[in-house]
Amino acid sequence: MKVGFFALCMAGALVLAFALGRAGAQEGPEADKAAAEMEAWAELAKPGEKHAALLKSVGTWTVESKHWMAPDAEPTVSKGKAVFTSLLDGRFVKQEFEGEFMGKPFRGIGWSGFNNATGKYEDVWIDTLNTGIITMTGAETEPGVIGYTGSFAGAGGVEMTMRSVIRKPGPDEQRMEMYCTIGDVEMKCMEGVYTRAR
C-alpha cells in the first residue's frame, strides 16, 4: 500500500515536471497544450465548495454510538469523543475518535475528502478492532446528506459490503448510520450521533 502510494506520487511529480519542461522548452501549439495541462492540474488541486462543507466538521464532538451484532438484537450503547482537524490547507479532514466498544477501549482514525477529478467523496478508516483499512466512496444524495459505499474483509476473510449515510442537520449535529451486508442480508450495524462540544 505504501509502495503503491509512493509510486503514484512520483508518477504525478514526473507528469508535472514533464509538462513544465515541455512548456519551457517549446513554443506554439505544444507549449499551449502543456500550459493547458498545467492549468488543469492546478484546478484539480484547488479546494472548493465541497471541501469547505467538510471543514464545517472541524472541532471537538461528543458521540453516542449504538452497535448491532444481529438484525434482531438490542444495540449496545457507548459514549466517545471525536476531534476533527483540517489537513493540507483544507483539502482533507481528519477524525480521531476515542470511545469504547463492548466495554473495551476503542480508537479510530479517519480521513475524508472530495476528489475533484472523480467528483466523488472519499473516506478512509482504520481502528483498533481490526488490521484492515476500510475505504469508501460517496456522493451527495440530497443537501447535507452523503451516501458512501465500500467493502471490507471481515472475520474469516468473508467479504462484507458496507453502506453509510452521513447527515448534518445543523452546524452542531452530525449523524452517521452504517449498514453491513453479509451474503444477501443487510442490517444496520452502527449509528453515531455527534454533538459539538461546548
Side-chain angles (χ1 to χ4, degrees):
M1 180 81 178
K2 290 183 180 177
V3 173
F5 178 72
F6 178 73
L8 184 61
C9 289
M10 290 302 296
L14 288 173
V15 168
L16 287 173
F18 179 67
L20 281 171
R22 285 201 314 171
Q26 298 180 5
E27 297 178 359
E30 285 300 315
D32 292 341
K33 183 179 177 182
E37 290 174 358
M38 287 302 300
E39 185 176 343
W41 274 95
E43 283 300 313
L44 286 177
K46 284 183 181 177
E49 176 185 328
K50 305 294 188 183
H51 305 90
L54 289 173
L55 287 175
K56 292 180 180 178
S57 295
V58 169
T60 301
W61 302 73
T62 58
V63 186
E64 180 176 282
S65 300
K66 293 181 180 178
H67 297 85
W68 287 264
M69 301 304 289
D72 56 351
E74 287 295 314
T76 58
V77 180
S78 60
K79 303 284 186 180
K81 181 181 84 169
V83 178
F84 290 79
T85 55
S86 171
L87 296 178
L88 300 178
D89 303 320
R91 289 173 176 82
F92 304 93
V93 174
K94 177 183 179 181
Q95 176 186 177
E96 295 181 86
F97 180 89
E98 290 187 6
E100 59 180 45
F101 178 76
M102 300 186 73
K104 296 183 179 180
F106 171 80
R107 291 183 295 119
I109 302 173
W111 295 266
S112 300
F114 180 80
N115 189 331
N116 287 333
T118 62
K120 296 284 189 181
Y121 290 92
E122 298 178 347
D123 193 86
V124 177
W125 180 262
I126 57 175
D127 60 43
T128 54
L129 286 179
N130 59 75
T131 56
I133 299 174
I134 299 172
T135 60
M136 305 183 84
T137 58
E140 194 170 33
T141 57
E142 59 183 272
V145 180
I146 302 173
Y148 288 91
T149 57
S151 62
F152 178 72
V158 176
E159 191 75 8
M160 180 188 300
T161 301
M162 307 175 77
R163 176 173 68 88
S164 70
V165 180
I166 309 294
R167 305 177 193 276
K168 298 183 180 181
D172 299 325
E173 182 181 0
Q174 300 185 93
R175 293 177 175 268
M176 186 277 291
E177 297 174 358
M178 179 73 73
Y179 298 86
C180 303
T181 300
I182 302 178
D184 297 325
V185 180
E186 181 183 77
M187 59 170 279
K188 186 175 185 178
C189 50
M190 187 170 61
E191 176 183 277
V193 177
Y194 291 64
T195 303
R196 194 179 294 276
R198 296 297 185 185

